Amino acid sequence: MTEKITRPASMKDVAMHYCPGCGHGLIHRLVCEVIDEIGVREKTIAVAPVGCAVLAYDYWDFDTLEAAHGRTPAVATGIKRVHPDKLVFTYQGDGDLAAIGTSEIIHAGNRGEDISVIFVNNGVYGMTGGQMAPTTLIGQTTATSLYTRRPEKEGYPLKIMEMMAVLPGVVYLERTSVHSPKAVLATKRAIRKSFEIQLDRKGFSMVEVLSPCPTYWGLSPVKSMERIEKEVVKEYPLGTIKDVC
Ligand code: SF4
């Protein structure tokens, strides 16, 4: 028996602007597959970030709007409170969520807002030229850490999920990746679980996805996937970080 792979109904049939080998297109597709499978396309409202995924609404064929930089969880909070029957999720990079939006994500989690968050961590500011992000690894060279990230000068990688885990309002946290087929499937399962938690009105959940940025890592798409497996997961271990559902 052969299985025909088709484009999810929730995904527009258009070319994407992402660089070759970028993880965003893959993660966008996983979101669409989950939405189709659980049949919530007509009741989904996504909030897109500022960053490389700023144009997510060009690819998703369900209601999506744009928030100011880092304010994504605050906008999602307002939408969900007005429309408690909708599936509301934010899609944010590490610049949006772990830098300018740190306050918003912490307080949304602390309030136990009934939303889902998809946090795409590639360790750099991709949209604006590959500058150092809070999530940049020690020893990593970026446009603003030419001597690499050094703890004594630039501090340590910020582990947002481990920080969020101490908040009572947060019920589910999982860190996944897209560096292998097995990892991609685990990411899809985690996104689905996060959406189902919200539909069951159990509270705030978040999935962090380790994602490649071949352009600003200065690596090929294949080498970028290898870097995630060999280096990035050592700083950001994969798996469930909190599950009190
Ligand atoms: S700069 Fe990086 S994150 Fe942005 S689209 Fe290109 S590969 Fe993706």
Side-chain angles (χ1 to χ4, degrees):
M1 191 180 85
T2 56
E3 187 179 352
K4 191 175 176 190
I5 305 295
T6 56
R7 184 181 294 272
S10 294
M11 192 164 209
K12 293 178 185 170
D13 187 6
V14 295
M16 289 185 173
H17 74 285
Y18 299 117
C19 310
C22 177
H24 277 306
L26 186 50
I27 302 164
H28 280 12
R29 181 185 170 102
L30 295 178
V31 168
C32 292
E33 287 182 0
V34 170
I35 286 172
D36 286 0
E37 288 170 14
I38 61 178
V40 292
R41 185 175 168 200
E42 299 302 324
K43 60 183 285 186
T44 295
I45 304 174
V47 188
V50 170
C52 282
V54 69
L55 301 176
Y57 44 76
D58 282 347
Y59 313 123
W60 288 334
D61 204 358
F62 45 80
D63 288 336
T64 306
L65 59 104
E66 179 68 51
H69 203 181
R71 266 78 264 189
T72 330
V75 172
T77 295
I79 295 170
K80 183 69 183 187
R81 289 189 178 194
V82 173
H83 297 286
D85 57 321
K86 305 290 188 189
L87 176 76
V88 180
F89 75 91
T90 74
Y91 185 99
Q92 304 177 257
D94 45 276
D96 193 73
L97 184 145
I100 196 166
T102 323
S103 171
E104 277 74 11
I105 197 65
I106 288 174
H107 289 292
N110 196 41
R111 294 192 304 269
E113 298 294 342
D114 201 14
I115 60 172
S116 302
V117 174
I118 298 172
F119 168 35
V120 181
N121 178 2
N122 60 22
V124 290
Y125 284 81
M127 186 186 198
T128 49
Q131 296 94 336
M132 193 187 84
T135 48
T136 298
L137 297 188
I138 298 297
Q140 184 175 341
T141 303
T142 72
T144 50
S145 59
L146 297 178
Y147 301 106
T148 78
R149 182 176 200 164
R150 303 153 297 180
E152 66 278 12
K153 298 279 187 188
E154 289 87 19
Y156 294 87
L158 195 60
K159 296 187 177 180
I160 290 285
M161 297 293 261
E162 283 77 358
M163 290 169 56
M164 299 292 288
V166 303
L167 304 175
V170 176
V171 299
Y172 171 61
L173 298 168
E174 182 156 357
R175 184 181 289 124
T176 67
S177 174
V178 288
H179 72 275
S180 70
K182 184 178 171 192
V184 169
L185 291 175
T187 297
K188 183 175 174 180
R189 278 196 299 273
I191 292 171
R192 179 170 182 145
K193 180 165 178 171
S194 172
F195 286 177
E196 288 177 340
I197 285 169
Q198 183 186 157
L199 293 169
D200 290 342
R201 307 200 171 190
K202 290 181 178 171
F204 182 99
S205 64
M206 187 160 147
V207 179
E208 176 180 354
V209 187
L210 304 181
S211 179
C213 177
T215 300
Y216 290 114
W217 291 2
L219 297 172
S220 70
V222 171
K223 290 289 181 193
S224 296
M225 295 301 189
E226 290 174 1
R227 177 176 183 262
I228 292 177
E229 185 170 24
K230 289 177 183 161
E231 293 180 42
V232 184
V233 298
K234 287 182 186 163
E235 185 66 40
Y236 300 109
L238 303 181
T240 304
I241 293 166
K242 184 174 186 180
D243 186 352
V244 292
C245 299

